[in-house]
Amino acid sequence: MIEFKNVFKQYSDDIIASNDINIRIDQGEFVYVVGPSGAGKSTFIKMMYHEEQATSGEITVNNFQLQTMKPKEVPFLRRDLGIVFQDFKLLPRLTIFENIAYALEVIEKEPAEIKERVDYVLDLVDLADKSDKFPEELSGGEQQRIAIARAVANKPEVLIADEPTGNLDPETSDDIMAILEKVNKQGTTVIMATHNSIIVNKYPHRLLAIEDGRIARDEEGGKYGYENENV
Amino acid sequence: MIEFKNVFKQYSDDIIASNDINIRIDQGEFVYVVGPSGAGKSTFIKMMYHEEQATSGEITVNNFQLQTMKPKEVPFLRRDLGIVFQDFKLLPRLTIFENIAYALEVIEKEPAEIKERVDYVLDLVDLADKSDKFPEELSGGEQQRIAIARAVANKPEVLIADEPTGNLDPETSDDIMAILEKVNKQGTTVIMATHNSIIVNKYPHRLLAIEDGRIARDEEGGKYGYENENV
Amino acid sequence: MKMRTFKRHLGESVKSLRRNGWMSVAAISAVTVTLILVGVLLSILMNVNKLASDVENDVQVRVFVERKTTKNQQDTLKKKLESYSEVKKVTFSSKKEQLQQVVGSYGNEFKLFGGDDNPLYDTFDVQTKEPKQTEQVAKKAKTLDYVNDASFGGTSAKKLFKVVGSIQKWGMIISALLLFVAVFLISNTIRITILSRRNEIGIMRLVGATNGFIRWPFLLEGAWTGLLGAIIPIALVDFGYIWIYNGLQASLASTSYRLLTPGTFLAEIDLLLISIGIVIGALGSFVSMRRFLKI
Amino acid sequence: MKMRTFKRHLGESVKSLRRNGWMSVAAISAVTVTLILVGVLLSILMNVNKLASDVENDVQVRVFVERKTTKNQQDTLKKKLESYSEVKKVTFSSKKEQLQQVVGSYGNEFKLFGGDDNPLYDTFDVQTKEPKQTEQVAKKAKTLDYVNDASFGGTSAKKLFKVVGSIQKWGMIISALLLFVAVFLISNTIRITILSRRNEIGIMRLVGATNGFIRWPFLLEGAWTGLLGAIIPIALVDFGYIWIYNGLQASLASTSYRLLTPGTFLAEIDLLLISIGIVIGALGSFVSMRRFLKI
Ligand SMILES: Nc1ncnc2c1ncn2[C@@H]1O[C@H](COP(=O)(O)OP(=O)(O)OP(=O)(O)O)[C@@H](O)[C@H]1O
Ligand SMILES: Nc1ncnc2c1ncn2[C@@H]1O[C@H](COP(=O)(O)OP(=O)(O)OP(=O)(O)O)[C@@H](O)[C@H]1O
Ligand SMILES: [Mg+2]
Ligand SMILES: [Mg+2]
């Protein structure tokens, strides 16, 4: 369960990236976050995993009170989350296999189990043959799929994906959506920021539209668009 | 004028990213490059500005013979090109203004002219208010628009854009397309790798489809898709 | 920490050291060069120190024996001198021998005074256990029977003590400076390599790694860097020192001066170099990372 | 290069130095610590060298004058000695004075030989311009009229020359090692900072910058790093040296030993430190960048 109460986020003097956000996302939901470039989608998402901290307001993620949690607890918050970063954030000096394994090593899984799981998710995103490559040897879309594979590897309670199909062709995007929906059916909450109107309209789910830091729309099965005006 | 003759590109042992590419793009054309993830679009594009070198074959860009050119000439090849990189490649320690100015400083423009030009392109991508920020303080889509602004800043003869709308909402993508088409009308060749089927179908131009390193389609005003099978 | 996790960290540190390529090479060679300097200078300083105290040990008490003393009485005096707890060695030197020395320094005319005309005294040269005890022993010797006088070098010995003292003091200061510099430069190099990897550390935190989990491989990598950086300095100092030691042994044989014997001395230096390398390498990593592990 | 472009590079280098924050601080402090070590040790080494040659200069020729020489003849002899090109200074020392010394070293009984019984000779102590010329001057002096004998310290002087020579040789070796270490460590530090920015350099190349255009700001930034890193060492060595110099002057006044005078000596050291900083900083950047400017 994720809950935002009166959340504000101000970056510097003038930039208010989150403006009084009140939202509740229950376990098992699938939520799109849409909105124009620079509206505050990534900020909204980053606050969930404590990369950015709210200037004021209360955020609850699973059982963590983000405003009052100790720095030491942060890693444990993140272990229950699977995150696809907008800029991928793969470790440049680890191979693809090792990058995904890393997310499992931090929770001290056994090597055999790690190997099995990594192979499984690599297969899922259809990149098993790249497991020994380094990130810079992959195409943009391949890197993005690795980021997705890493995020689902530890079977997170919540999957947070920031623009996970930005570098993927429509067909591959459909494959990724199939993975996300399957994960969601198994009980994982999925939160996905996206600009992909085709996807949003083809796979309808709850839709949050953010504009100028505000929640402009919150609609179950809403079509792509914001301020009630579809594109 | 850009010409590829029997171009092959092999990365390692097994990965053939360009497989016998023969293509000619005349000055002033607008060309989409589409294809599934990992098909070899970026590789095709990277060879044009000599970031990657062909394993065999001949590449001509403007008046440069890329296979025989001296390392010293490479900067001069690139000065006639404006490039939007798939991963943006902004300089992290320069402000937005300085990032764009850099591309003009290398050709020793005068400071006053640089200022004017940078302000103009920042206005074009609607980010004039971010000029003093550093790249990491921008949203993904904002960074992408800065990368586009930098590419058009020096009025290049050829504009090469690798997935320039991947992080942009449909409306902003339309704005960017307007810029590219305007630049194209002024005589600049535009080569744009993209997964955005809406854009491709809405603004029809010559379309190259790459699959498994081969040119699978080359069609004037073709619809998005590859292997003759539309999505 | 589970044994498995520690093994993982160890493997990770080796991997990272290899994959960082030139960065690792640069860090290791910085450690190497720093430790070579430390090794060479410390070897020299400690030997200068040793030689200085050898010089000091040359200072002795000269006891002038009354002219009309019999052989027996001389023996008694010698025993008496040897009985002092501060005394290490007593050597007899006849007035005849001494005349030779005077002749050497002041001209042949002194040869006239050979035989019974010799104006000099037989002496006992008394070596003390500690150089500084000479004054005290000389005072005691003066009061003994059969003793005409006893000298211990007086002001010139005191001056020597001062010079040796200040050489040793400066040696300590330089050694301390040197160790500080080594510690600083090694940890600073490690700091720079870690600064250049702050993005990586940020990503590790974002995918749920605890500070300890992130820190261990870096710490071990720092230790490896230090360990690898210490190998050449140790080899160089060991072989170089033994070579020089053997080379100088012949020319020092005739004197009372000796370099520090390689055995224990080199063991100490080696231990010092390797510990600076490993400890500062690891600690440097640890400290440098704190900044990036705040939240 | 246009003046405008150079100004741009200069501005860019300052900006980059500031924006690199901790990395710049780390690089500058590495230069600082290295140069402090160089400054302190070189000051000490050069003074040890100076003191060693002062000691050497104490070696002189002692010319023993025949007993029955008149005052006039002595003057003639003195003039003759002074006429040698190798000779710097000739000092007369009467046999009376010398007896005092003998009495000091070998016991009171020598007092018996006061007055006409004095077995010693009047001497001229001849200082040569170069210590090593003593042997040669002594040989020439032996052949002169009114001269009974001439000595120059013989084997002990030769031993001294050897010791001083080896102190100076080792001083040179250590200084060279030190300079090598400084050059290596500074350029290595710069190399690491540049390695950590290879991505940036890659981007610059991709947007059409020539190698020269990329290189200049880095080169200037390296020079700034060196310059800033040299400030504290220079201040420290200057003030520290003057302080120690003044402190030791009193106790050295009574001897013939002098430390190097601060004026020119410090100017030289300062120049050395600042040039190492700037030149190696700039050159280190230049060389380290070559790798990234290949294609
Ligand atoms: N530096 C490299 N070393 C090895 N293989 C590489 C390298 N760069 C790309 N490849 C491989 O070459 C193939 C083509 O990559 P390319 O980046 O050209 O694809 P793309 O069409 O741009 O894909 P995307 O749409 O995902 O960006 C991929 O299989 C990729 O893994
Ligand atoms: N670290 C930062 N410092 C200052 N301003 C920031 C920072 N990060 C984001 N911003 C600003 O906050 C606003 C919201 O940014 P955010 O990244 O949340 O947008 P977004 O909705 O994810 O956009 P996009 O679709 O382009 O990724 C933007 O105006 C951006 O410039
Ligand atoms: Mg975003
Ligand atoms: Mg690509």
Side-chain angles (χ1 to χ4, degrees):
Chain A
M1 195 268 298
I2 296 171
E3 190 160 24
F4 279 59
K5 276 190 191 158
N6 307 316
V7 172
F8 287 81
K9 171 68 186 179
Q10 183 157 11
Y11 277 113
S12 48
D13 28 310
D14 49 347
I15 301 163
I16 296 171
S18 295
N19 193 343
D20 195 15
I21 292 192
N22 287 284
I23 210 83
R24 185 191 156 101
I25 298 170
D26 286 317
Q27 186 61 32
E29 281 199 79
F30 195 124
V31 182
Y32 291 119
V33 181
V34 303
S37 177
K41 302 180 292 299
S42 295
T43 303
F44 174 56
I45 279 179
K46 282 177 184 171
M47 286 190 292
M48 293 180 191
Y49 56 87
H50 213 60
E51 184 181 352
E52 296 292 352
Q53 282 111 71
T55 313
S56 70
E58 270 174 47
I59 302 175
T60 311
V61 174
N62 297 334
N63 297 315
F64 294 91
Q65 299 290 333
L66 269 53
Q67 298 312 99
T68 56
M69 92 199 292
K70 298 199 197 84
K72 279 187 117 177
E73 294 176 283
V74 176
F76 299 94
L77 159 72
R78 291 177 182 163
R79 284 173 186 194
D80 295 333
L81 313 177
I83 310 169
V84 184
F85 304 94
Q86 191 168 12
D87 55 354
F88 315 156
K89 293 203 192 296
L90 301 175
L91 288 162
R93 265 179 276 271
L94 294 188
T95 64
I96 295 312
F97 184 94
E98 292 163 350
N99 258 286
I100 300 174
Y102 195 92
L104 298 168
E105 285 168 1
V106 299
I107 46 176
E108 307 207 21
K109 284 247 183 286
E110 277 181 38
E113 200 182 336
I114 291 178
K115 167 126 186 52
E116 192 191 340
R117 188 72 194 154
V118 174
D119 286 342
Y120 173 73
V121 295
L122 274 177
D123 212 51
L124 212 59
V125 296
D126 205 19
L127 287 171
D129 53 329
K130 300 285 183 192
S131 78
D132 292 334
K133 301 274 177 211
F134 288 92
E136 61 169 17
E137 295 175 317
L138 261 52
S139 80
E142 287 165 349
Q143 288 181 33
Q144 190 158 44
R145 282 182 279 160
I146 297 303
I148 294 165
R150 178 177 64 184
V152 299
N154 66 343
K155 303 180 188 162
E157 286 184 45
V158 181
L159 181 69
I160 296 173
D162 198 349
E163 200 67 68
T165 62
N167 285 280
L168 297 177
D169 58 286
E171 226 170 316
T172 312
S173 298
D174 282 333
D175 297 344
I176 295 301
M177 275 313 290
I179 296 171
L180 298 187
E181 298 216 303
K182 181 172 155 204
V183 166
N184 178 240
K185 286 226 175 64
Q186 289 163 358
T188 297
T189 312
V190 176
I191 297 162
M192 171 172 164
T194 186
H195 292 303
N196 195 323
S197 58
I198 300 180
I199 292 285
V200 171
N201 296 337
K202 191 163 162 188
Y203 307 90
H205 291 291
R206 178 175 172 192
L207 183 127
L208 290 180
I210 295 185
E211 208 163 358
D212 277 338
R214 290 177 184 282
I215 302 284
R217 269 174 70 200
D218 179 358
E219 245 174 61
E220 195 56 52
K223 289 277 171 204
Y224 184 87
Y226 21 92
E227 205 74 278
N228 294 324
E229 161 212 5
N230 287 12
V231 175
Chain B
M1 195 267 299
I2 296 170
E3 191 163 22
F4 279 59
K5 276 189 192 158
N6 307 317
V7 171
F8 286 82
K9 171 68 187 178
Q10 184 158 9
Y11 277 112
S12 49
D13 30 310
D14 49 348
I15 301 162
I16 297 171
S18 294
N19 193 343
D20 196 15
I21 292 191
N22 287 282
I23 211 82
R24 185 190 156 100
I25 298 170
D26 286 318
Q27 187 62 31
E29 280 199 84
F30 195 125
V31 183
Y32 290 119
V33 181
V34 302
S37 177
K41 302 180 294 298
S42 295
T43 303
F44 174 58
I45 279 178
K46 282 177 184 170
M47 287 190 291
M48 294 181 192
Y49 55 87
H50 213 60
E51 184 182 351
E52 295 292 350
Q53 282 112 71
T55 312
S56 70
E58 271 173 47
I59 302 175
T60 312
V61 175
N62 297 335
N63 298 315
F64 295 90
Q65 298 290 334
L66 269 53
Q67 298 312 99
T68 57
M69 91 198 294
K70 296 197 199 88
K72 278 186 117 179
E73 294 175 283
V74 176
F76 300 94
L77 159 71
R78 291 177 183 163
R79 284 172 186 195
D80 296 333
L81 312 177
I83 310 169
V84 183
F85 304 96
Q86 191 167 11
D87 54 356
F88 316 155
K89 293 202 193 296
L90 301 176
L91 289 161
R93 265 178 277 269
L94 295 187
T95 64
I96 295 313
F97 184 95
E98 291 163 350
N99 258 286
I100 300 174
Y102 195 92
L104 299 168
E105 285 168 0
V106 300
I107 45 176
E108 307 205 20
K109 284 248 187 285
E110 276 179 39
E113 200 182 336
I114 291 178
K115 166 120 186 59
E116 192 191 340
R117 189 72 194 153
V118 174
D119 286 342
Y120 172 75
V121 294
L122 274 177
D123 212 49
L124 211 60
V125 296
D126 204 20
L127 287 172
D129 54 327
K130 299 286 182 192
S131 79
D132 292 333
K133 301 275 177 209
F134 287 92
E136 62 170 16
E137 296 175 317
L138 263 52
S139 82
E142 287 166 347
Q143 288 181 34
Q144 190 157 46
R145 283 183 279 160
I146 296 303
I148 294 165
R150 176 177 65 183
V152 299
N154 67 341
K155 302 179 187 161
E157 285 184 47
V158 180
L159 181 69
I160 296 174
D162 198 350
E163 199 69 66
T165 62
N167 285 279
L168 297 177
D169 57 287
E171 228 171 314
T172 312
S173 299
D174 282 333
D175 296 345
I176 294 301
M177 277 312 290
I179 296 171
L180 299 188
E181 297 216 304
K182 182 173 154 205
V183 164
N184 179 240
K185 288 225 175 66
Q186 289 163 358
T188 297
T189 311
V190 176
I191 298 162
M192 171 172 163
T194 187
H195 291 304
N196 195 324
S197 58
I198 300 179
I199 291 283
V200 172
N201 295 337
K202 190 162 164 189
Y203 308 90
H205 292 290
R206 177 175 173 194
L207 183 126
L208 290 180
I210 296 187
E211 208 163 0
D212 276 340
R214 290 176 184 284
I215 302 284
R217 273 172 68 200
D218 180 357
E219 243 174 65
E220 196 56 53
K223 289 279 171 204
Y224 184 90
Y226 22 91
E227 205 73 279
N228 294 323
E229 161 212 4
N230 287 14
V231 176
Chain C
M1 186 164 49
K2 284 186 203 154
M3 190 59 207
R4 161 153 55 78
T5 311
F6 184 76
K7 262 195 198 151
R8 181 254 168 212
H9 291 329
L10 202 64
E12 204 71 13
S13 67
V14 174
K15 196 161 69 185
S16 172
L17 194 71
R18 272 195 291 113
R19 293 199 184 150
N20 274 302
W22 282 109
M23 198 66 115
S24 298
V25 171
I28 291 171
S29 57
V31 175
T32 300
V33 169
T34 308
L35 290 185
I36 287 176
L37 186 76
V38 170
V40 171
L41 289 191
L42 270 194
S43 303
I44 292 174
L45 284 173
M46 289 177 76
N47 274 293
V48 166
N49 212 326
K50 168 71 163 53
L51 291 181
S53 71
D54 283 354
V55 168
E56 226 178 34
N57 285 330
D58 267 6
V59 174
Q60 46 189 20
V61 180
R62 177 162 274 191
V63 177
F64 297 94
V65 183
E66 288 283 12
R67 268 167 213 283
K68 277 140 217 160
T69 314
T70 66
K71 185 85 184 63
N72 258 353
Q73 289 169 330
Q74 285 183 3
D75 285 349
T76 316
L77 177 56
K78 191 177 181 199
K79 293 238 167 67
K80 183 70 192 165
L81 289 170
E82 284 171 343
S83 73
Y84 290 148
S85 61
E86 302 96 333
V87 169
K88 200 160 89 188
K89 204 173 143 202
V90 177
T91 324
F92 181 72
S93 158
S94 74
K95 54 187 175 183
K96 231 184 189 165
E97 288 161 23
Q98 291 177 49
L99 189 64
Q100 304 293 342
Q101 290 178 9
V102 175
V103 171
S105 321
Y106 291 91
N108 293 325
E109 218 57 24
F110 272 101
K111 284 182 187 151
L112 293 171
F113 300 91
D116 287 345
D117 280 344
N118 188 337
L120 300 175
Y121 292 85
D122 291 330
T123 62
F124 282 111
D125 292 338
V126 179
Q127 225 179 310
T128 54
K129 281 174 188 153
E130 291 293 322
K132 306 242 153 119
Q133 293 166 336
T134 45
E135 184 167 5
Q136 179 187 345
V137 169
K139 261 189 198 149
K140 281 204 257 179
K142 266 185 197 170
T143 66
L144 294 178
D145 288 341
Y146 322 123
V147 170
N148 175 286
D149 201 357
S151 72
F152 70 99
T155 50
S156 81
K158 279 188 180 158
K159 212 184 243 172
L160 181 68
F161 292 157
K162 229 176 106 180
V163 170
V164 167
S166 88
I167 287 179
Q168 291 177 334
K169 193 184 75 185
W170 276 98
M172 290 284 288
I173 293 177
I174 298 175
S175 305
L177 173 67
L178 204 58
L179 289 182
F180 165 77
V181 166
V183 166
F184 182 89
L185 288 177
I186 293 174
S187 58
N188 195 61
T189 301
I190 302 276
R191 185 205 318 280
I192 297 180
T193 63
I194 286 184
L195 272 171
S196 78
R197 287 162 73 182
R198 68 193 133 204
N199 284 339
E200 285 176 51
I201 294 173
I203 296 176
M204 292 172 184
R205 292 182 52 76
L206 285 176
V207 297
T210 56
N211 287 350
F213 193 88
I214 297 174
R215 196 179 262 148
W216 269 102
F218 278 89
L219 195 147
L220 292 170
E221 193 179 341
W224 287 120
T225 304
L227 176 65
L228 293 174
I231 292 175
I232 294 178
I234 285 178
L236 209 73
V237 168
D238 283 8
F239 288 113
Y241 189 78
I242 289 172
W243 186 69
I244 288 176
Y245 183 85
N246 290 338
L248 286 182
Q249 213 164 18
S251 54
L252 286 177
S254 62
T255 70
S256 60
Y257 307 129
R258 294 285 173 277
L259 297 181
L260 293 160
T261 41
T264 44
F265 170 65
L266 287 182
E268 279 167 29
I269 285 269
D270 292 354
L271 190 70
L272 180 74
L273 294 182
I274 210 159
S275 356
I276 293 182
I278 295 179
V279 174
I280 304 307
L283 225 62
S285 287
F286 187 87
V287 173
S288 310
M289 290 192 70
R290 279 187 320 187
R291 199 196 326 281
F292 306 123
L293 297 178
K294 281 283 164 57
I295 290 161
Chain D
M1 184 165 49
K2 283 187 205 154
M3 191 60 209
R4 160 151 57 77
T5 311
F6 184 75
K7 262 196 201 149
R8 181 254 168 215
H9 290 330
L10 203 63
E12 204 71 12
S13 68
V14 174
K15 194 160 71 185
S16 172
L17 195 70
R18 271 195 292 114
R19 294 200 184 151
N20 274 302
W22 282 110
M23 198 66 115
S24 298
V25 171
I28 291 171
S29 57
V31 176
T32 300
V33 168
T34 309
L35 290 184
I36 287 177
L37 186 75
V38 170
V40 171
L41 290 190
L42 270 193
S43 303
I44 292 174
L45 285 172
M46 289 177 76
N47 274 294
V48 166
N49 212 324
K50 168 71 163 52
L51 290 181
S53 70
D54 282 354
V55 168
E56 223 178 38
N57 284 331
D58 268 3
V59 173
Q60 45 189 19
V61 180
R62 175 162 275 192
V63 178
F64 298 91
V65 184
E66 287 283 14
R67 267 169 214 282
K68 279 143 217 156
T69 315
T70 65
K71 185 88 183 64
N72 258 353
Q73 289 170 330
Q74 284 184 3
D75 285 351
T76 317
L77 177 56
K78 192 178 182 199
K79 291 239 167 69
K80 182 73 191 164
L81 289 171
E82 283 172 344
S83 74
Y84 291 148
S85 61
E86 302 97 332
V87 169
K88 200 161 89 189
K89 203 171 142 202
V90 178
T91 324
F92 181 72
S93 158
S94 73
K95 57 186 174 186
K96 228 185 190 166
E97 288 161 23
Q98 289 176 51
L99 188 63
Q100 304 294 341
Q101 290 178 10
V102 174
V103 170
S105 322
Y106 291 93
N108 293 326
E109 218 58 24
F110 271 103
K111 283 182 188 152
L112 293 171
F113 300 92
D116 286 347
D117 280 345
N118 188 338
L120 300 173
Y121 291 85
D122 290 330
T123 62
F124 283 110
D125 291 339
V126 180
Q127 225 180 310
T128 54
K129 281 175 188 154
E130 292 292 321
K132 305 243 151 114
Q133 294 165 335
T134 46
E135 183 167 7
Q136 182 187 342
V137 170
K139 260 188 198 148
K140 281 205 261 177
K142 266 185 195 169
T143 66
L144 294 178
D145 288 343
Y146 322 122
V147 169
N148 173 285
D149 200 358
S151 73
F152 68 100
T155 50
S156 82
K158 279 187 179 159
K159 213 185 244 170
L160 181 68
F161 293 157
K162 228 174 108 181
V163 170
V164 168
S166 88
I167 286 177
Q168 292 178 334
K169 193 184 76 186
W170 276 97
M172 291 283 288
I173 294 176
I174 298 175
S175 304
L177 174 67
L178 205 57
L179 289 181
F180 166 78
V181 167
V183 166
F184 182 89
L185 288 178
I186 293 174
S187 59
N188 195 60
T189 302
I190 301 275
R191 186 205 317 281
I192 297 180
T193 63
I194 286 185
L195 272 170
S196 77
R197 287 161 73 182
R198 68 193 134 202
N199 284 339
E200 287 175 51
I201 295 172
I203 296 175
M204 293 172 184
R205 293 182 52 78
L206 285 176
V207 297
T210 57
N211 288 351
F213 193 87
I214 297 173
R215 196 179 263 146
W216 268 101
F218 278 89
L219 196 146
L220 292 170
E221 190 178 341
W224 286 121
T225 304
L227 178 64
L228 293 174
I231 293 175
I232 293 177
I234 285 178
L236 209 73
V237 168
D238 283 8
F239 289 112
Y241 189 76
I242 290 174
W243 186 69
I244 288 175
Y245 183 84
N246 290 338
L248 287 182
Q249 214 165 18
S251 55
L252 287 176
S254 61
T255 70
S256 61
Y257 306 130
R258 294 284 173 275
L259 296 182
L260 293 161
T261 41
T264 44
F265 170 66
L266 288 182
E268 279 167 28
I269 285 269
D270 292 354
L271 190 71
L272 181 75
L273 294 182
I274 210 159
S275 358
I276 293 182
I278 295 179
V279 174
I280 305 308
L283 225 64
S285 287
F286 187 88
V287 173
S288 310
M289 291 193 70
R290 279 188 321 187
R291 197 197 325 279
F292 307 122
L293 297 177
K294 281 283 164 56
I295 290 159

